[in-house]
Amino acid sequence: MVVSEDVINESSALVELEKKLDVCFENKQLLNVAVTHSSYANGKKNIKFNERLEFLGDSVLQISISEYLFLNYSKKTEGELTKRRSLIVCENSLYEIAKKWDLGKYIRMSKGEEITGGRERVSILADCVEAIIAAIYIDCGFEKAREFVLSNFKDTIDKAIKNKIILDYKTKLQEVMQKNGDVNIQYDLIKYEGPPHRRKFYTQVSVNDKTLGNGTGYSKKESEQSAAKTALKELEKNNG
Amino acid sequence: MVVSEDVINESSALVELEKKLDVCFENKQLLNVAVTHSSYANGKKNIKFNERLEFLGDSVLQISISEYLFLNYSKKTEGELTKRRSLIVCENSLYEIAKKWDLGKYIRMSKGEEITGGRERVSILADCVEAIIAAIYIDCGFEKAREFVLSNFKDTIDKAIKNKIILDYKTKLQEVMQKNGDVNIQYDLIKYEGPPHRRKFYTQVSVNDKTLGNGTGYSKKESEQSAAKTALKELEKNNG
């Protein structure tokens, strides 16, 4: 029976996720679809996946953030509001929120997607957060969805307003270090592990031959950014 | 007195516009700001203009259309929904709606903007429609704003669903004519008038030396598109 594959496992995963989201769905199937990646539906019949919800969720997210910025920052120009919104409504902030919920473990995906790192893939996690926002919008209405967005994006909004969102940690580290004169920043790949389709890279960053931090990622670039981020955190800690 | 310039003229223009929009604003000042172009505020104090409202209105428009498409076209994929939405939520459809209301005549703008064709400028009119949508959202709430969007975009949505929105009339004319074999389509600038900063162009399109339509615009390109559009309408009429 193909249909039976889409039965909701109410007793465990979904209920646990509902608790984390602090939302009780009347229609549990909506949440089930929101956490179903397209790969899971491949070759199966009657399985709905989250792409259409993601389409709607993006709009719910946009209006919630736009309205908040519009109402709370009456002195900011349209250009400033647009810039802040683009810092808040982006893949990276959606990914950060997904990580807080440990969302990867609740997503239904194909075995193939899973063994190539799907549960940690930024785009899959970010899209799933948007789909969950849409599911709440449909199940509980606009007010509740807006409230959900604002409470989950609170930290991101604060950071965006205070210009504390950094998109490129390597550039930022360069800027910070150069304040003390010329520096030599070096990124060294110290090891990698795993099969080619799921290789994990480990990078160490050092400034004038002093190690400042380590980072990991599923590409060299990602691991370098991660190392720079760690170094910036260390510097911040040491400077009070 | 600088402030007095921003007094609302309740007795005429705004009331007339409210009737056209079929919305009664509790806070008339919101509509007043929505129809105030930034140029009007230049060099004046305490004049609010519509750019911040436009920022919010875009999101209200997006969610209204997204939700409508999501709910009414359950068989369409995310990709198809996104494509349709981009045809509906675009400068051109906002401009078409503005023209229906004769919106240009209600916009407050600087003399300079006005004499260079501001009241007919596509971007100014489109932005003003978005600002009006936001004004309704703030004044009357989400439900009313969505209803307003859907009733005003009904025709555009229908056309987008039926794939009847044409973005490039010249290309479309070429496609239509070539069905009957090789053709020679020629666009002739037949005249232009007005000062350089507000020059109006008149273009005639002919196919194999037979005139098919005329068009006007504030650039050569615009007048050619307009001529192609007229020609397509003529062809449609003749073909039943």
Side-chain angles (χ1 to χ4, degrees):
Chain A
M1 282 286 291
V2 170
V3 173
S4 68
E5 293 192 45
D6 203 27
V7 161
I8 307 162
N9 187 355
E10 280 205 54
S11 59
S12 60
L14 280 189
V15 172
E16 194 178 297
L17 181 56
E18 272 188 302
K19 274 190 194 149
K20 282 195 184 173
L21 302 176
D22 195 20
V23 178
C24 181
F25 282 84
E26 192 166 318
N27 179 359
K28 312 281 183 205
Q29 172 63 3
L30 271 170
L31 180 59
N32 204 35
V33 174
V35 296
T36 303
H37 183 249
S38 57
S39 65
Y40 183 81
N42 276 348
K44 301 192 187 92
K45 273 185 185 173
N46 298 323
I47 303 277
K48 285 187 179 172
F49 51 94
N50 63 11
E51 281 183 6
R52 297 179 83 255
L53 281 172
E54 178 213 334
F55 164 83
L56 179 58
D58 176 62
S59 294
V60 180
L61 177 57
Q62 287 276 351
I63 193 173
S64 305
I65 302 296
S66 301
E67 183 188 19
Y68 182 85
L69 294 175
F70 179 88
L71 294 176
N72 289 281
Y73 301 95
S74 57
K75 300 286 178 209
K76 295 219 185 292
T77 65
E78 178 269 336
E80 287 166 327
L81 295 178
T82 302
K83 191 183 148 200
R84 300 294 154 90
R85 185 178 58 190
S86 72
L87 289 171
I88 300 165
V89 181
C90 65
E91 202 173 58
N92 201 49
S93 40
L94 287 159
Y95 172 65
E96 293 293 333
I97 287 166
K99 281 198 297 185
K100 273 192 211 165
W101 301 331
D102 200 7
L103 188 56
K105 81 179 220 200
Y106 302 101
I107 300 179
R108 301 200 296 176
M109 57 180 70
S110 68
K111 284 279 169 240
E113 194 62 55
E114 188 166 6
I115 60 170
T116 56
R119 296 203 182 276
E120 289 151 55
R121 207 183 307 290
V122 175
S123 59
I124 290 182
L125 291 165
D127 291 351
C128 188
V129 174
E130 288 190 324
I132 288 173
I133 293 170
I136 296 171
Y137 175 75
I138 297 170
D139 199 66
C140 318
F142 178 61
E143 299 298 331
K144 177 73 187 169
R146 178 170 56 186
E147 194 185 290
F148 178 83
V149 167
L150 293 180
S151 92
N152 279 287
F153 279 78
K154 201 183 165 304
D155 293 349
T156 315
I157 296 172
D158 282 351
K159 276 192 206 163
I161 294 300
K162 291 175 189 153
N163 276 322
K164 284 202 168 173
I165 290 182
I166 301 168
L167 294 177
D168 177 0
Y169 294 100
K170 284 178 71 179
T171 305
K172 184 69 191 174
L173 182 60
Q174 183 89 25
E175 284 167 10
V176 168
M177 296 313 295
Q178 271 176 346
K179 280 184 191 156
N180 309 319
D182 271 358
V183 287
N184 173 31
I185 302 184
Q186 201 174 318
Y187 292 88
D188 292 306
L189 181 67
I190 45 181
K191 71 167 177 175
Y192 59 79
E193 59 187 20
H197 61 268
R198 215 206 151 175
R199 187 149 287 169
K200 195 167 181 178
F201 297 85
Y202 293 76
T203 289
Q204 187 170 74
V205 59
S206 49
V207 178
N208 295 340
D209 295 329
K210 191 189 158 201
T211 300
L212 275 194
N214 292 286
T216 59
Y218 287 96
S219 69
K220 268 194 220 174
K221 200 178 144 195
E222 213 178 291
S223 71
E224 287 176 5
Q225 285 288 347
S226 160
K229 189 176 178 179
T230 313
L232 284 163
K233 271 192 191 161
E234 276 305 308
L235 289 168
E236 209 170 277
K237 222 188 282 173
N238 296 339
N239 295 331
Chain B
M1 282 288 291
V2 170
V3 173
S4 68
E5 293 190 46
D6 203 27
V7 161
I8 306 162
N9 187 356
E10 280 206 55
S11 59
S12 61
L14 280 190
V15 172
E16 196 177 296
L17 180 56
E18 273 188 302
K19 275 189 194 150
K20 282 193 185 174
L21 303 175
D22 195 21
V23 178
C24 183
F25 281 84
E26 193 167 316
N27 179 359
K28 311 282 183 204
Q29 172 61 5
L30 272 170
L31 180 59
N32 204 35
V33 174
V35 295
T36 303
H37 183 249
S38 57
S39 65
Y40 184 80
N42 276 349
K44 300 192 188 91
K45 276 185 184 171
N46 299 322
I47 302 278
K48 284 186 179 172
F49 51 94
N50 63 10
E51 281 183 6
R52 297 179 83 256
L53 281 172
E54 178 213 333
F55 164 84
L56 179 58
D58 176 61
S59 294
V60 180
L61 177 57
Q62 287 275 353
I63 193 174
S64 305
I65 302 296
S66 302
E67 184 188 17
Y68 182 85
L69 294 175
F70 179 88
L71 294 176
N72 289 281
Y73 300 96
S74 58
K75 299 284 177 211
K76 294 217 185 293
T77 65
E78 179 269 336
E80 286 166 327
L81 295 177
T82 301
K83 190 183 149 200
R84 300 294 153 90
R85 185 177 59 190
S86 72
L87 289 170
I88 299 166
V89 181
C90 66
E91 202 173 58
N92 201 50
S93 40
L94 288 159
Y95 172 65
E96 294 292 334
I97 287 166
K99 281 198 296 185
K100 273 192 211 164
W101 300 331
D102 200 6
L103 188 57
K105 79 180 223 201
Y106 302 101
I107 299 179
R108 301 200 296 176
M109 59 179 69
S110 68
K111 284 280 167 239
E113 195 61 55
E114 187 165 7
I115 60 171
T116 57
R119 294 202 183 279
E120 291 151 54
R121 205 181 309 289
V122 175
S123 60
I124 291 181
L125 291 166
D127 292 350
C128 189
V129 174
E130 288 190 324
I132 288 173
I133 292 169
I136 295 170
Y137 175 75
I138 298 171
D139 199 65
C140 318
F142 178 61
E143 298 300 329
K144 177 74 188 167
R146 178 171 55 185
E147 193 185 291
F148 178 84
V149 167
L150 293 180
S151 92
N152 280 287
F153 278 78
K154 201 183 166 302
D155 294 349
T156 314
I157 296 171
D158 283 350
K159 275 191 207 165
I161 294 299
K162 291 175 189 151
N163 276 323
K164 284 202 168 173
I165 290 182
I166 301 168
L167 294 176
D168 177 358
Y169 295 101
K170 283 178 73 177
T171 305
K172 184 70 190 173
L173 182 60
Q174 184 90 25
E175 284 168 10
V176 169
M177 296 313 295
Q178 272 176 347
K179 281 185 192 160
N180 309 318
D182 271 359
V183 287
N184 173 32
I185 303 183
Q186 201 175 319
Y187 292 87
D188 292 305
L189 181 68
I190 45 181
K191 72 167 177 175
Y192 59 79
E193 58 187 20
H197 61 267
R198 216 208 150 173
R199 187 151 286 170
K200 195 167 180 176
F201 296 86
Y202 293 76
T203 288
Q204 187 169 74
V205 59
S206 50
V207 177
N208 296 341
D209 294 330
K210 191 189 158 201
T211 301
L212 273 194
N214 292 286
T216 60
Y218 287 96
S219 69
K220 267 194 221 175
K221 200 178 144 196
E222 212 177 293
S223 71
E224 287 176 5
Q225 284 288 348
S226 159
K229 187 177 179 179
T230 314
L232 284 163
K233 271 192 192 162
E234 277 305 308
L235 289 168
E236 208 170 278
K237 219 188 284 174
N238 297 337
N239 296 332

